Amino acid sequence: MCGGPAFKPFAAPGRHLVLCTIAGLVAMSLSPLAVHAADPAGADATAPEATPARPRQALSLSQAQERALRYQPSLRQARGQTDAAAGRTEQARAGYLPQAALTGSYQRTTGNFALRPGSTPNMSSSRATTTSGWSSTTYNFLSFGLNASQLIYDFGQTDGRWLAAAASRDAARAGELTAEQQALLAVRRAYFLVRADGDLIGVARDTLANQERHLNQIQAFVRAGIRPEIDLAQARTAVANARVQLVTATNDDAVARAQLNQTMGNFENVDYDLADAGLAPVAGEQGPLDAMVGSALATRPELETIRRQRRAQELTVAALRGAFGPALGAAAGATEAGQDFGHLVPNWFLGLTLNWPFLQGGLTRGQIHEGEGVLATLAAQEDSLRLTVRVDVEQGQLAVRGAKATIAAAQEALASARDQLRLAEARYANGLGSVIELGDAQVAFSAAAAQDVQARFNLSSARAQLMAALGVR
């Protein structure tokens, strides 16, 4: 190497010997660079042993999903809405069941008789009123009663409200499944984002280590007078930029871990070592689109929710139409009243009730009109959602296919960039390349490594999106 063309301009034998010595040292310092570029995982094998950090908790994707389903507040909110809908169903059913009430009262009252205008009093009461006027004497009066009623028929009003509430409860349950799928999609994306950011930290560390080795090499060249000072300035800039990139990658990783904790419903900032590197292939991701769309239309909980809402609205409209007819019921009651417990007078009754509000100023018609408008809106929303499902599935499938193709291209680019960096380092060590060539090769390698990480993240994210589009948990 000392007799190569790189050293021909230096004719002095003494300087030639010095250059040969420096070149040999630089070549030895560059040898780990080539190995480092070819095998980033082993780049820090010779680094000083760091103080062992406290072991972090291992977390698999299935564990993250289980925690999200258990602790995510949005899911607890959806379950609470389902419970509330179940309570409204019980309320609507109450109109079908017998109603009974106990009453009781105690009064301290005067006993004055008041003649009502237009009435014809008997002689004794008239004589009493005329002779005695009014009195401030008070008496005890006790009254106890039991009243019961039972609806017999009301033209489907109560039945329709009950069935509509049950359909709304079923819609809430389907909405709970939708919330679960959204939570799973969020935790999957957050999980693989943390995984990708961790890999990007590794890329940034490798880049910084390479740039620092380049800086050490260039410093030796500049001290020997082989390279100009501008090479050293550029190398120092590259090292500083690499440190900035490492800080940025570390901060992004911390933010991603906080988001992962949020999607799992963790109120504390817990750190993890992630166990899974990617999502398994989704069944049918390479299959025909129409088959996947048909499967999604049958399983997406959003569609089931809106179908149940439509059914509830249809039953509500039917119940409103029943208001045009009367409501027939049975009633019974018993009372005891008197001035003291020893002299209570009993009474009872049995009967039928008929309630027919036949003139309401168009209230029932207006309610039916409103209900039919809501029903038409829900029908349009269902059609719109079916179109959205098709687009979601198609986009998810295309994203998976594109990510697969991108991974192959990214891996090819990474291999080429690794070779480019190795050759640029060798050329610079032999005095054939420039610092610009070396810097460009390092930048290209770092960008290709980051692109490879991004491609793998995109594939996992695309599969998570496709699973959500298909309604798969």
Side-chain angles (χ1 to χ4, degrees), residues 152-168:
I152 297 176
Y153 183 69
D154 64 353
F155 287 87
Q157 296 181 62
T158 303
D159 180 67
R161 286 193 292 267
W162 179 18
L163 295 177
S168 296

Side-chain angles (χ1 to χ4, degrees), residues 78 88 94 216 245 338 400 461:
R88 287 190 289 270
N216 293 335
Q245 291 172 0
V400 169
S461 180

Side-chain angles (χ1 to χ4, degrees), residues 283-307:
E285 66 181 28
Q286 296 297 125
L289 175 63
D290 289 340
M292 297 185 70
V293 171
S295 175
L297 292 175
T299 57
R300 282 281 288 267
E302 299 97 318
L303 283 168
E304 183 64 19
T305 297
I306 203 166
R307 292 189 194 107

Side-chain angles (χ1 to χ4, degrees), residues 2-212:
C2 292
F7 297 97
K8 287 183 179 178
F10 305 100
R15 186 169 186 180
H16 184 268
L17 179 60
V18 172
L19 293 176
C20 285
T21 304
I22 293 175
L25 293 173
V26 170
M28 286 190 295
S29 68
L30 272 178
S31 58
L33 284 176
V35 175
H36 181 77
D39 184 15
D44 296 330
T46 59
E49 206 172 301
T51 303
R54 185 176 61 180
R56 295 186 294 190
Q57 181 180 354
L59 181 70
S60 65
L61 178 60
S62 60
Q63 290 173 330
Q65 293 176 162
E66 181 182 352
R67 294 184 184 187
L69 293 177
R70 183 181 302 176
Y71 301 117
Q72 178 54 238
S74 62
L75 294 184
R76 299 206 308 269
Q77 179 181 353
R79 293 178 188 123
Q81 291 173 349
T82 301
D83 290 341
R88 287 190 289 270
T89 304
E90 296 170 359
Q91 296 172 39
R93 184 186 60 183
Y96 255 139
L97 302 178
Q99 311 291 313
L102 284 171
T103 60
S105 68
Y106 164 78
Q107 295 178 357
R108 186 70 181 176
T109 178
T110 59
N112 298 318
F113 174 78
L115 181 64
R116 185 177 181 83
S119 63
T120 304
N122 57 44
M123 295 302 295
S124 59
S125 63
S126 175
R127 193 179 304 112
T129 306
T130 321
T131 57
S132 58
W134 66 274
S135 172
S136 60
T137 304
T138 58
Y139 308 89
N140 291 327
F141 185 77
L142 304 174
S143 176
F144 302 95
L146 170 64
N147 296 292
S149 64
Q150 173 63 60
L151 176 67
I152 297 176
Y153 183 69
D154 64 353
F155 287 87
Q157 296 181 62
T158 303
D159 180 67
R161 286 193 292 267
W162 179 18
L163 295 177
S168 296
R169 175 203 59 204
D170 295 339
R173 288 174 178 168
E176 187 177 333
L177 295 177
T178 300
E180 288 183 0
Q181 288 200 340
Q182 292 173 347
L184 290 175
L185 174 61
V187 77
R188 286 165 184 159
R189 282 179 167 172
Y191 186 94
F192 291 112
L193 181 60
V194 172
R195 186 78 188 194
D197 284 341
D199 292 343
L200 289 175
I201 288 178
V203 172
R205 284 174 177 163
D206 292 343
T207 300
L208 177 59
N210 260 4
Q211 295 288 19
E212 287 175 342

Side-chain angles (χ1 to χ4, degrees), residues 346-470:
N347 284 289
W348 61 270
F349 73 91
L350 292 173
L352 296 175
T353 61
L354 182 67
N355 182 27
W356 191 0
F358 60 90
L359 187 60
Q360 297 177 300
L363 174 63
T364 301
R365 291 188 181 278
Q367 291 173 335
I368 293 173
H369 192 183
E370 178 188 4
E372 289 175 341
V374 174
L375 188 59
T377 301
L378 290 172
Q381 288 178 353
E382 182 178 359
D383 291 341
S384 176
L385 184 56
R386 292 172 68 89
L387 293 173
T388 301
V389 167
R390 182 177 184 87
V391 173
D392 289 346
V393 173
E394 187 170 6
Q395 287 180 339
Q397 189 181 50
L398 291 174
V400 169
R401 292 177 179 177
K404 285 182 176 180
T406 302
I407 284 180
Q411 290 176 344
E412 182 180 352
L414 179 59
S416 299
R418 184 180 291 115
D419 290 340
Q420 178 184 353
L421 179 58
R422 176 180 56 81
L423 294 172
E425 289 173 340
R427 283 172 53 81
Y428 194 82
N430 290 325
L432 298 175
S434 66
V435 72
I436 294 177
E437 180 185 52
L438 180 61
D440 289 346
Q442 179 62 62
V443 169
F445 177 74
S446 300
Q451 182 176 261
D452 178 63
V453 172
Q454 184 67 40
R456 286 184 277 111
F457 166 75
N458 288 344
L459 178 58
S460 295
S461 180
R463 281 176 171 159
Q465 183 65 45
L466 181 58
M467 290 174 68
L470 293 172

